[in-house]
Amino acid sequence: MEHSFGAYFISGVDTNCGKTYVTSNLASYIHHRGVSVITQKPIQTGCEVVADDLIEHRRAMGTGLLPEDKEGRTCSYLFKTAATPQLAAKLEGKKVDVDKIDRDTRFLLSRYHMVLVEGVGGLMVPLNDEYLTVDYVASRRLPLILVVTSRFGGINQAFMSIEACKNHDADLRVIVYNRFPDDNPTVASENFSTIKKFALSLFPHITMVDFRSSDSFWGLEL
């Protein structure tokens, strides 16, 4: 795997498409190949004390919670209500400040070569009254890794998300095709080809990863 070090944003087609699983496996893959990497979950909803997704990331990496997790630099906002960041913050009398997220990302980049930033839900989820997730990614020019699924309805979700990237001028670099659950391998393989063809029509230099395990990232250039 070759790297141009920096921050990468990982989003998906919805809340249960496998973003955390993919982020965990990608972080583990990079970590165990000697690259200094940390994950960031800027906003976690439906959770208290420690972001659940960060716990899963560290479990996969085999590190346990890191100092930056305990310092609160890997999760800028933690909300109790399982809702969009915009609503979850409102219910607690708060508002998501994207500049704070930026500061935490820059802090992490001062300590690590790579930061994998896992988003909340899909690309069109509102972070606050001004920013959708895709707007934040595009405005910061963060290279985007999009997780899509092989399940029924996955093509529709993938096409809409890819179009959203194009319409909002997001820097979509990689699509990770999550095979789990691989109930019908024939259908899953055909859907992979269909999504790849559509993605290439809008992003000619896109890389498509057929994700089955962490070894699926072998040879991926970031």
Side-chain angles (χ1 to χ4, degrees):
M1 176 183 280
E2 297 181 8
H3 304 288
S4 55
F5 297 140
Y8 297 82
F9 197 95
I10 300 174
S11 188
V13 294
D14 66 10
T15 56
N16 293 302
C17 64
K19 285 192 310 297
T20 301
Y21 186 62
V22 168
T23 302
S24 299
N25 275 268
L26 181 55
S28 176
Y29 180 86
I30 295 170
H31 172 68
H32 287 101
R33 277 151 185 79
V35 176
S36 172
V37 61
I38 191 169
T39 61
Q40 180 183 7
K41 182 76 177 185
I43 307 169
Q44 177 93 62
T45 65
C47 182
E48 299 183 52
V49 185
V50 179
D52 293 340
D53 291 349
L54 288 175
I55 293 173
E56 180 60 26
H57 298 167
R58 304 297 173 254
R59 184 201 62 76
M61 295 169 70
T63 62
L65 289 178
L66 297 168
E68 295 80 9
D69 299 322
K70 298 172 184 178
E71 294 166 11
R73 302 310 290 262
T74 51
C75 185
S76 307
Y77 292 97
L78 191 66
F79 299 117
K80 296 178 182 179
T81 303
T84 67
Q86 178 192 41
L87 177 57
K90 181 179 179 180
L91 292 173
E92 295 186 21
K94 300 175 182 178
K95 180 180 178 180
V96 171
D97 179 358
V98 294
D99 290 334
K100 173 175 168 50
I101 295 172
D102 291 340
R103 290 193 295 272
D104 286 337
T105 302
R106 287 195 296 269
F107 174 82
L108 296 174
L109 284 171
S110 73
R111 292 189 176 183
Y112 294 84
H113 287 140
M114 294 186 70
V115 179
L116 302 179
V117 186
E118 183 187 342
V120 177
L123 286 168
M124 303 302 287
V125 167
L127 303 182
N128 55 33
D129 293 339
E130 292 80 35
Y131 282 91
L132 301 175
T133 296
V134 69
D135 295 324
Y136 177 77
V137 172
S139 64
R140 270 59 180 177
R141 299 312 300 163
L142 288 168
L144 176 62
I145 300 170
L146 178 67
V147 180
V148 304
T149 71
S150 62
R151 66 189 180 213
F152 188 70
I155 288 180
N156 180 63
Q157 290 179 314
F159 280 22
M160 289 193 298
S161 296
I162 294 166
E163 280 200 334
C165 290
K166 189 69 174 180
N167 293 337
H168 290 259
D169 195 30
D171 184 16
L172 180 58
R173 299 277 187 91
V174 179
I175 293 177
V176 178
Y177 184 70
N178 184 12
R179 284 264 180 176
F180 301 101
D182 198 1
D183 296 329
N184 190 323
T186 300
V187 172
S189 294
E190 286 298 319
N191 288 354
F192 174 89
S193 298
T194 300
I195 293 170
K196 182 177 182 179
K197 181 179 179 180
F198 180 79
L200 286 170
S201 71
L202 297 182
F203 294 91
H205 303 294
I206 198 81
T207 297
M208 189 98 170
V209 174
D210 194 352
F211 179 69
R212 302 165 191 263
S213 70
S214 59
D215 289 339
S216 302
F217 296 117
W218 181 260
L220 174 64
E221 295 183 11
L222 288 179

